[in-house]
Amino acid sequence: MGRVDPEQRRTATERLRQLADSGQLTARHVRLVATGCGVSERTVWWWIDPHAPRADGRARSGYRLTDIDRAAYAFYRGNATAVHRARSSVIGGTAPSAGVPIPDSLAQGWQNARPVSVHTLRRAFADQLTPAEVALWRSGENARRNADVYLTRPPSVRNQVWEADHKQLPILVMPPRGAPVRPWMTTVLDDATRALVGWAITLTPHAGTVLTAIRMGLVHDAERGPFGAVPAMVRIDRGLEFASAAVSEALKALGVDVHRLPAYTPHRKGKVERFHRTLEQMLLTTLPGFTGGPRDAAGRLHGPVDDRPAARAAAETADVRPMGIDVLVERVRDWVRWYNTAHEHAALGGRSPARAWEADPTPLARIDPERLRHLLLAGAERTVVKDGIHFANLTYLAPELQGRGGERVQVRHMPHDNRSIEVYARGEHLCTAYPQAHLTPEQVEDFRAAARAEAKRLRAAQRRSTRHSRAELAPMTGAAPAAESRLVPAADGDELARRRSDQALAAKSSTSLLGLVDPTLHPVVEESENP
């Protein structure tokens, strides 16, 4: 026998009570209503007067829960049978119940209660408690939220509202060093078109990761699609990475309203939460190392990758290891490109996010990427070597690096984008460097021209320095400029002193083996002061 429609039951009950009040109610009326509603006559009599006592003194079905009954339901964690056992023990004077003491507050509240059957009490809890109450006392707050009903936001236009969130991906990957880990993904999703405008995958999320994902959403890049503009508002959760001063100041400096959502309200950014589930269902479940897959009786994942602690600790030397984080990034990049440009979204009328974006005529506010360098993820310091800057297994080069060999510089980059890096020297932006293996002919010529110009500049500086040095050192050594020695004759006294000095040196240079000077070979010339 199925459950009676509540509206039909209320209508039938109201009619029967009208007949009872006027003294016209008969058993035939009850029989007709029972047949029409598909219930027993006894049930129909209960509809008319649910509180009428039975011959055995027990209350009829339709029992109304008291505050004590509700408190007991919470105390016994949603176990209606345990509530009935404790209640019957107090009423019958046989407490404690099943060897378990009954709280005094419950025992005092049930002192004068009427007995009910366990079936009646279960039915009362099922009928008079909402699914949210039942879930709360049985499973907790998260289960209660599953029974909540939420408001739906009105439709927005493209790039007006972003939703940003972190998600620890359910997949094991190998980091550059160490044991396998589950990486984190930072996601920025457009509310109106469901387009993934920015993302980043790292081992641990931080403010730099958030800034990088936001910058990706701000910069227009034709290779990623038509996306890239300044939004009006960004919804973020209360994670410390999103709440950092660097993130808040960077967004507010662009005139973007930052809406920080209350804690534990994932439904208020439901689109990005749904995207994470789509990513897991479509991509991650097909990759090795997915931790949400089926397991055997010992808890081991079905497949080549074992995520148990002992296996993870030995993964570096094992024959079968999870994929590297760089491989995961490549897979996610390809999938995101497909999702944005080809995935037919039901909420978009069967269009892809890119098509929905292009069909929206709302004006976009774009900013020159060079003005957004401060939003890049800061990398480690590097030393400029002979062939440029070594970073992420590539060698980057730029004309501005000429003459800076051996200098320590700071590198900023976009994760998952090795097409260029930004180089800073002493806190100031120096240049944009590109992989040497992928330089265009124009970039190669620019680099060579810069090398020639730098060499020319240094040679000119060297010549200037030489001229200045000669002018400064000549007076210190007593030597006159060559031009003056040709125009001004030497004094007579100076000439006599020079000749005497030459004769003395000649005499010293011609000696015997005993070191004696032979005066016959080098006679000393006596000269008078007044020839």
Side-chain angles (χ1 to χ4, degrees):
M1 185 178 296
R3 293 177 65 89
V4 181
D5 179 68
E7 189 64 30
Q8 182 185 29
R9 170 182 164 179
R10 283 192 293 268
T11 303
T13 302
E14 182 179 356
R15 174 57 182 155
L16 292 174
R17 285 176 178 170
Q18 289 176 351
L19 293 172
D21 293 341
S22 62
Q24 299 177 4
L25 180 64
T26 64
R28 178 176 174 78
H29 293 127
V30 174
R31 190 178 308 112
L32 289 174
V33 171
T35 303
C37 294
V39 295
S40 65
E41 294 182 32
R42 178 181 176 182
T43 300
V44 175
W45 284 112
W46 166 68
W47 288 355
I48 299 172
D49 189 6
H51 302 293
R54 293 170 38 155
D56 58 4
R58 297 170 58 188
R60 291 184 177 273
S61 58
Y63 173 73
R64 302 298 300 177
L65 296 174
T66 64
D67 292 341
I68 297 299
D69 296 330
R70 294 173 181 271
Y73 191 79
F75 178 79
Y76 289 104
R77 303 295 185 266
N79 189 337
T81 302
V83 174
H84 179 266
R85 184 185 303 114
R87 190 176 186 277
S88 300
S89 299
V90 171
I91 295 174
T94 59
S97 171
V100 179
I102 300 174
D104 293 339
S105 59
L106 300 181
Q108 293 175 4
W110 281 328
Q111 285 296 331
N112 299 320
R114 302 182 65 116
V116 294
S117 67
V118 63
H119 174 76
T120 299
L121 194 61
R122 286 176 186 162
R123 184 65 176 268
F125 281 126
D127 289 344
Q128 300 173 41
L129 296 184
T130 65
E133 290 179 287
V134 174
L136 174 64
W137 301 126
R138 288 182 178 178
S139 304
E141 179 65 16
N142 290 335
R144 182 199 68 78
R145 292 178 182 177
N146 292 333
D148 284 347
V149 179
Y150 305 116
L151 292 171
T152 301
R153 290 191 177 95
S156 61
V157 295
R158 67 175 180 179
N159 212 60
Q160 291 301 297
V161 179
W162 286 356
E163 293 183 0
D165 194 18
H166 288 316
K167 169 71 172 179
Q168 189 174 24
L169 301 180
I171 186 171
L172 281 181
V173 297
M174 293 297 298
R177 293 179 298 274
V181 296
R182 290 176 56 191
W184 288 79
M185 183 172 182
T186 303
T187 307
V188 180
L189 196 79
D190 180 49
D191 177 81
T193 65
R194 272 70 166 181
L196 184 62
V197 296
W199 60 281
I201 294 179
T202 56
L203 299 180
T204 303
H206 48 81
T209 310
V210 177
L211 289 175
T212 300
I214 291 175
R215 183 187 184 276
M216 183 183 293
L218 295 173
V219 174
H220 174 64
D221 187 346
E223 293 189 10
R224 292 190 293 110
F227 323 109
V230 181
M233 183 177 71
V234 176
R235 296 192 190 107
I236 60 176
D237 61 17
R238 305 188 74 83
L240 297 179
E241 301 82 13
F242 289 105
S244 68
V247 174
S248 179
E249 292 172 0
L251 290 172
K252 291 179 180 179
L254 296 173
V256 179
D257 184 19
V258 180
H259 185 195
R260 194 178 180 193
L261 299 173
Y264 306 109
T265 55
H267 62 279
R268 302 190 66 172
K269 46 181 175 58
K271 293 183 177 66
V272 70
E273 296 284 349
R274 184 62 179 90
F275 169 82
H276 287 151
R277 192 169 63 184
T278 300
L279 172 69
E280 177 179 336
Q281 293 172 342
M282 288 189 172
L283 177 64
L284 300 184
T285 55
T286 66
L287 301 179
F290 177 64
T291 58
R295 298 174 181 270
D296 60 17
R300 188 181 189 279
L301 279 171
H302 288 286
V305 176
D306 189 352
D307 67 338
R308 291 177 297 179
R312 291 172 64 173
E316 291 185 82
T317 58
D319 295 334
V320 178
R321 300 189 299 172
M323 68 172 64
I325 189 171
D326 55 336
V327 179
L328 174 65
V329 168
E330 290 292 337
R331 297 289 184 90
V332 172
R333 179 190 291 116
D334 295 340
W335 184 85
V336 167
R337 186 180 297 110
W338 169 85
Y339 171 85
N340 278 337
T341 60
H343 176 52
E344 296 180 354
H345 205 296
L348 301 177
R351 298 175 298 175
S352 68
R355 287 180 56 194
W357 180 287
E358 293 173 335
D360 193 332
T362 305
L364 299 174
R366 300 194 188 275
I367 290 185
D368 188 344
E370 294 185 358
R371 298 182 180 272
L372 300 174
R373 291 195 186 100
H374 63 286
L375 296 181
L376 288 171
L377 178 64
E381 288 191 348
R382 290 293 186 270
T383 300
V384 181
V385 294
K386 287 292 185 181
D387 54 349
I389 298 175
H390 293 181
F391 185 79
N393 298 324
L394 292 173
T395 301
Y396 291 84
L397 207 58
E400 293 81 359
L401 296 179
Q402 281 293 344
R404 294 183 178 270
E407 182 178 354
R408 294 288 288 179
V409 295
Q410 294 79 41
V411 172
R412 295 194 176 198
H413 69 288
M414 285 281 287
H416 330 313
D417 188 351
N418 57 8
R419 291 175 296 176
S420 65
I421 60 174
E422 302 296 335
V423 182
Y424 288 74
R426 294 177 292 279
E428 298 293 334
H429 182 258
L430 178 63
C431 64
T432 301
Y434 300 92
Q436 190 170 159
H438 302 285
L439 293 178
T440 64
E442 292 79 10
Q443 290 174 327
V444 172
E445 182 56 33
D446 290 343
F447 180 81
R448 290 173 176 170
R452 292 192 294 268
E454 180 68 7
K456 183 178 180 179
R457 183 185 70 83
L458 293 178
R459 286 196 298 269
Q462 186 179 24
R463 288 194 295 270
R464 289 194 301 271
S465 177
T466 300
R467 288 197 299 269
H468 293 164
S469 297
R470 286 175 179 173
E472 293 290 335
L473 294 176
M476 298 179 187
T477 59
E484 296 179 0
S485 66
R486 291 193 297 269
L487 299 177
V488 182
D492 293 343
D494 292 341
E495 179 64 20
L496 180 59
R498 183 184 63 76
R499 290 173 61 186
R500 288 178 176 174
S501 177
D502 290 345
Q503 289 177 355
L505 289 174
K508 290 180 180 180
S509 64
S510 179
T511 60
S512 65
L513 295 177
L514 297 178
L516 302 177
V517 178
D518 187 354
T520 60
L521 297 177
H522 300 282
V524 178
V525 180
E526 296 290 343
E527 299 186 23
S528 61
E529 294 182 2
N530 297 312

